[in-house]
Amino acid sequence: MADVVFFDLDGTLVDHRSAVWEAICQIVQDAPNATAPPEDLATLWWTLEGRHMGEYLAGQCSFAEHHRRRIRSFLPVLGEPVPESPGLLDAWIAERYLTVFEDSWRCYPDVQPCLENLKRLPRGPRLAVLTNGDPEQQRAKLARFGLLEYFEAVLTPTELGVAKPVAYAAACRWMRTDPAQAANVGDMLDSDVNAAALAGLTGIWLDRGVDFITGGPSPVADEAVLRIERLTDLPGRLSRTSA
């Protein structure tokens, strides 16, 4: 049995993608002066999220500024003026986006049964969350669904100084374990599974049937990849892996 199991958060424990779409669809519906069709606006928002989140993870801006950059690019296409004040941009994000986004968070139904089963295992693993998200927001998600109690640590680029896909060695040091004694579970084949395996961990792919980035079908994985379709399959997978 692994000493530590790391869990990704968005797309693994909480349905981030659906929450984003619910929030942005409401914004688009309330935009009579938009310069593009609703589906194009929604796609643009998702593209901007990936671009500016990447800038935040690279240390080029704060988490708040990554939101502001997204809004500066999005509002002209939405047909709205772009405020010059950072405070007004922050207010737009808080009132127009985050309110609906946070109300739309949903925990996948297989999460708590999985964590309960892991907790009951004899000599079961220690658990931690390893996520690229903002620490305050990510802890709020876990607290919303009563999940914080299951995890020894919630690790983000703020704590580790680096983001996935290069954060695995730092996460293992934080948890005082060897990578060979750790597993990482996530829905992103490259950054959660392949990158973890390259760092010496056991990467386990949670294939929920949808690509997190594109919303299309899951990518095709090598046959050697350890794959589960439900988190409730994880305890058995860990037992077979350690046998």
Side-chain angles (χ1 to χ4, degrees):
M1 183 66 65
D3 175 42
V4 174
V5 176
F6 296 103
F7 287 83
D8 173 54
L9 202 163
D10 293 320
T12 299
L13 305 179
V14 174
D15 188 353
H16 173 83
R17 185 179 177 89
S18 293
V20 169
W21 284 108
E22 287 188 38
I24 195 59
C25 285
Q26 181 163 318
I27 291 171
V28 168
Q29 288 172 1
D30 298 334
N33 299 318
T35 63
E39 58 272 18
D40 291 349
L41 287 168
T43 300
L44 173 62
W45 179 271
W46 191 256
T47 300
L48 293 171
E49 175 175 314
R51 178 188 305 164
H52 297 303
M53 186 68 175
E55 293 169 352
Y56 160 68
L57 295 175
Q60 298 172 10
C61 64
S62 67
F63 190 75
E65 177 60 24
H66 113 276
H67 271 150
R68 296 175 195 136
R69 292 181 179 187
R70 196 190 312 179
I71 294 304
R72 291 187 187 104
S73 299
F74 187 72
L75 284 181
V77 187
L78 196 65
E80 297 185 15
V82 180
E84 293 186 8
S85 163
L88 291 176
L89 291 169
D90 293 344
W92 194 100
I93 278 285
E95 297 167 9
R96 299 279 296 279
Y97 177 68
L98 289 179
T99 299
V100 180
F101 172 64
E102 293 174 3
D103 284 345
S104 301
W105 290 343
R106 300 290 182 271
C107 180
Y108 293 107
D110 56 359
V111 174
Q112 196 156 15
C114 167
L115 298 176
E116 282 291 329
N117 288 339
L118 288 174
K119 187 169 70 172
R120 295 190 188 104
L121 288 175
R123 300 181 303 278
R126 295 180 292 140
L127 307 181
V129 171
L130 179 57
T131 169
N132 281 347
D134 172 72
E136 181 178 351
Q137 188 179 80
Q138 300 300 67
R139 287 184 173 88
K141 292 175 186 175
L142 295 168
R144 168 85 60 87
F145 303 110
L147 301 179
L148 273 173
E149 65 184 73
Y150 293 99
F151 298 105
E152 186 173 316
V154 179
L155 302 177
T156 75
T158 299
E159 288 80 19
L160 299 177
V162 290
K164 294 187 288 186
V166 297
Y168 295 104
C172 288
R173 289 193 297 270
W174 185 285
M175 295 297 292
R176 305 174 306 283
T177 193
D178 188 272
Q181 300 300 316
N184 188 72
V185 182
D187 64 298
M188 299 282 281
L189 184 57
D190 287 334
S191 60
D192 290 328
V193 181
N194 295 338
L198 286 173
L201 292 77
T202 297
I204 300 176
W205 182 30
L206 175 60
D207 179 9
R208 291 199 179 276
V210 61
D211 185 282
F212 182 84
I213 299 298
T214 68
S218 299
V220 177
D222 186 275
E223 291 184 0
V225 169
L226 299 179
R227 174 182 170 274
I228 57 176
E229 294 183 354
R230 296 167 297 276
L231 277 178
T232 45
D233 295 335
L234 179 63
R237 170 61 75 177
L238 289 172
S239 298
R240 293 195 299 275
T241 301
S242 61

